[in-house]
């Protein structure tokens, strides 16, 4: 048997003997934050935490959750200490995810800490952003597509070379007016749009023409309570048996999400001045 094991067994025997003789718990071999207590035979230990009865907690703990960047920054600046607080960021731009956490009582270079006081912030997507992303690349019948454009007309941005909101509204109304007609032909124009020719099924002489734009721009906030960003989209269509379906394709929306996240990140860095790390901190 090793010498250390012999010493440990010997110490344990002594502790049990002393506890049995004096008939009360006996502390032996404690060090730093570890206490070793021998109990007389048949004794048990119950632990009661009465911290809630004190005037104030022994230390600050818990995690707060902010809904916007302002709240996160204000909370951090209220509680943080430049010497003991840090910020960690998990960013997955392709999946539209970002989580920022400030550890108010983090480890320092020379001293460990509990890391029990935190605030986290995951920016909430705006209603407009969720709506356009949810319907991205979703094929819609003519009337449904027209209704979608009408309901979200306020999101259309006035950008040179792109259709205005009123032009898209006119296009949507033409979609509705021609919903019972058959698409006879469609010709791509030099301007980039598509000219469509509709006819009645029983009367090819009755012709209605309209021009469909091939792209648009929307100006919407990516996050709730944040500034808007410009997102371009392509307008697409498919014809089957004389009926057309339409959809749009957002152009690199993940890059717009990344830009919106980086704006928040830079603001947090600037207004808190805390050490900032990309990654996670587990406890």
């Amino acid at each position: 048997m090793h010498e250390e094991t012999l010493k440990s067994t010997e110490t344990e025997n002594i502790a049990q003997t002393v506890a049995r003789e004096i008939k009360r718990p006996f502390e032996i071999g404690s060090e730093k934050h570890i206490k070793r207590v021998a109990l007389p035979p048949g004794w048990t230990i119950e632990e009661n935490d009465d911290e809630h009865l004190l005037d104030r907690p022994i230390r600050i703990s818990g995690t707060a959750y902010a809904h916007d960047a302002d709240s996160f920054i204000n909370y951090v600046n209220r509680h943080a200490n430049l010497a003991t607080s840090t910020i960690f960021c998990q960013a997955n731009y392709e999946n539209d995810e970002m989580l920022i956490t400030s550890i108010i009582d983090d480890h320092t270079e020379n001293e460990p800490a509990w890391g029990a006081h935190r605030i986290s912030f995951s920016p909430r997507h705006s209603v407009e952003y969720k709506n356009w992303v949810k319907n991205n690349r979703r094929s819609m019948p003519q009337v449904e597509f027209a209704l979608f454009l009408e309901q979200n007309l306020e999101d259309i941005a006035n950008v040179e070379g792109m259709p205005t909101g009123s032009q898209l509204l006119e296009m949507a109304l033409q979609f509705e007016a021609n919903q019972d007609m058959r698409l006879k032909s469609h010709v791509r124009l030099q301007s980039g749009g598509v000219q469509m020719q509709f006819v009645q099924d029983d009367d090819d002489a009755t012709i209605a023409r309209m021009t469909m734009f091939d792209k648009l721009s929307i100006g919407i906030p990516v996050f709730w309570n944040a500034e808007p960003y410009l997102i371009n989209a392509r307008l697409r269509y498919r014809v089957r048996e004389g009926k057309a379906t339409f959809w749009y394709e957002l152009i690199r929306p993940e890059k717009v999400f990344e830009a919106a996240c980086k704006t928040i990140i830079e603001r947090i860095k600037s207004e808190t001045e805390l050490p900032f790390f990309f990654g996670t901190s587990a406890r």
Side-chain angles (χ1 to χ4, degrees):
M1 186 177 293
H2 294 294
E3 182 178 351
E4 290 184 0
T5 304
L6 287 172
K7 288 183 178 179
S8 175
T9 303
E10 182 179 338
T11 300
E12 183 179 343
N13 291 336
I14 294 173
Q16 290 175 346
T17 301
V18 173
R20 184 171 57 250
E21 293 298 326
I22 66 176
K23 297 181 180 181
R24 61 179 177 82
F26 179 73
E27 183 177 338
I28 185 171
S30 297
E31 52 183 322
K32 293 184 178 180
H33 63 290
I34 299 176
K35 288 192 175 182
R36 299 183 180 90
V37 179
L39 300 177
W43 281 47
T44 59
I45 288 181
E46 293 184 1
E47 180 180 297
N48 293 314
D49 186 351
D50 293 330
E51 183 180 4
H52 65 285
L53 299 177
L54 301 176
D55 291 337
R56 59 181 58 87
I58 295 174
R59 69 174 187 271
I60 300 176
S61 63
T63 300
Y65 297 92
H67 288 172
D68 61 8
D70 287 340
S71 300
F72 180 86
I73 291 169
N74 290 337
Y75 187 95
V76 169
N77 286 339
R78 179 179 181 181
H79 295 280
N81 185 305
L82 290 176
T84 61
S85 302
T86 54
I87 296 177
F88 286 83
C89 176
Q90 295 174 259
N92 188 335
Y93 302 131
E94 291 184 359
N95 292 330
D96 283 3
E97 297 173 349
M98 182 174 72
L99 175 65
I100 300 177
T101 299
S102 176
I103 306 175
I104 306 298
D105 55 339
D106 203 357
H107 303 312
T108 66
E109 182 178 353
N110 300 314
E111 295 184 3
W114 289 102
H117 184 198
R118 304 180 174 211
I119 180 170
S120 290
F121 167 48
S122 183
R124 294 182 172 185
H125 295 160
S126 70
V127 173
E128 298 89 342
Y129 184 81
K130 288 191 291 185
N131 183 38
W132 282 93
V133 169
K134 179 181 68 175
N135 290 286
N136 187 31
R137 300 177 182 270
R138 186 173 73 85
S139 180
M140 292 176 260
Q142 188 169 318
V143 176
E144 183 182 351
F145 186 69
L147 183 61
F148 177 85
L149 290 177
E150 287 183 69
Q151 291 176 335
N152 298 282
L153 206 61
E154 292 185 1
D155 298 338
I156 305 302
N158 288 325
V159 177
E160 186 176 356
M162 296 289 191
T164 64
S166 60
Q167 289 174 322
L168 285 171
L169 178 59
E170 181 181 354
M171 184 184 76
L173 293 175
Q174 286 181 317
F175 277 154
E176 293 178 355
N178 297 325
Q179 63 178 297
D180 295 326
M181 302 180 75
R182 173 170 50 87
L183 180 61
K184 181 179 180 181
S185 65
H186 42 99
V187 179
R188 184 165 294 278
L189 306 175
Q190 288 185 348
S191 62
V194 177
Q195 187 178 77
M196 296 181 171
Q197 189 177 81
F198 294 85
V199 297
Q200 295 284 1
D201 284 337
D202 55 356
D203 183 8
D204 280 3
T206 303
I207 297 176
R209 291 183 176 87
M210 64 161 289
T211 299
M212 176 184 167
F213 300 100
D214 66 340
K215 53 189 175 182
L216 60 83
S217 292
I218 57 176
I220 58 174
V222 175
F223 301 123
W224 173 74
N225 199 26
E227 67 275 12
Y229 279 80
L230 190 69
I231 307 178
N232 293 325
R234 303 181 185 92
L235 291 176
R236 298 289 190 242
Y237 69 95
R238 180 180 292 114
V239 180
R240 289 181 179 174
E241 299 178 355
K243 296 296 181 181
T245 56
F246 301 86
W247 69 94
Y248 61 87
E249 298 174 355
L250 297 178
I251 299 174
R252 301 297 300 273
E254 72 280 359
K255 300 303 292 183
V256 177
F257 181 85
E258 180 179 348
C261 288
K262 287 183 176 179
T263 297
I264 291 177
I265 289 171
E266 291 306 314
R267 184 183 169 203
I268 289 174
K269 286 181 177 179
S270 172
E271 296 187 26
T272 65
E273 299 183 346
L274 293 181
F276 194 101
F277 305 95
F278 285 93
T280 61
S281 175
R283 290 289 193 275

